[in-house]
């Protein structure tokens, strides 16, 4: 059994400072998407936009949105599509603020089509 006053003392923190000479400047690297990823985002965005457009058409003509469908799958696809369209619009807006232009067109122009 240890009986020391240091056993219950809070741990001390040593301050470590980096040497000031020879420091490299910090640089940022940005991730870039491959063409396959851009095509996938574009195709998903075009699909989501089509679902949202059909949902809005159904809402205008019938007064209610899409039916839930079997196991709620249609309603889930509708909800995820709305979120995807909002996400694409947010990404487009953020890119526009940062760079002055919108999202890349992507292969085949799919992402540009999804952006609108």
């Amino acid at each position: 059994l240890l009986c020391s006053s240091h056993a219950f003392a809070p741990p001390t923190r040593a301050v470590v400072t980096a040497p000031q000479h020879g420091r490299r400047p910090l640089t940022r690297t940005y991730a870039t998407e491959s063409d396959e990823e851009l095509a996938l985002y574009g195709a998903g965005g075009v699909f989501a936009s089509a679902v949202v457009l059909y949902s809005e058409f159904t809402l205008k003509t019938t007064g209610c949105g899409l039916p839930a469908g079997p196991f709620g799958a249609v309603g889930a696809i509708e909800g995820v599509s709305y979120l995807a369209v909002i996400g694409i619009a947010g990404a487009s807006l953020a890119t526009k603020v940062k760079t002055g232009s919108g999202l890349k067109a992507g292969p085949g122009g799919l992402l540009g089509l999804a952006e609108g």
Side-chain angles (χ1 to χ4, degrees):
L1 193 66
L2 293 174
C3 190
S4 171
S5 63
H6 297 291
F8 298 105
T12 59
R13 293 186 181 168
V15 178
V16 178
T17 58
Q20 296 298 325
H21 59 81
R23 282 179 48 175
R24 294 183 326 167
L26 297 176
T27 59
R28 281 192 176 171
T29 57
Y30 295 101
T32 58
E33 292 86 6
S34 68
D35 284 346
E36 293 83 19
E37 289 174 324
L38 291 176
L40 183 65
Y41 296 153
V46 169
F47 176 76
S49 296
V51 170
V52 168
L53 185 64
Y54 182 67
S55 171
E56 292 295 323
F57 173 76
T58 304
L59 179 64
K60 180 159 176 48
T61 57
T62 65
C64 58
L66 296 175
F71 304 108
V74 175
I77 290 171
E78 180 184 16
V80 169
S81 294
Y82 272 98
L83 292 175
V85 167
I86 291 170
I88 290 171
S92 175
L93 182 65
T95 304
K96 182 78 166 176
V97 168
K98 274 187 200 175
T99 65
S101 64
L103 297 173
K104 297 178 191 175
L110 278 176
L111 192 56
L113 179 64
E115 182 183 18

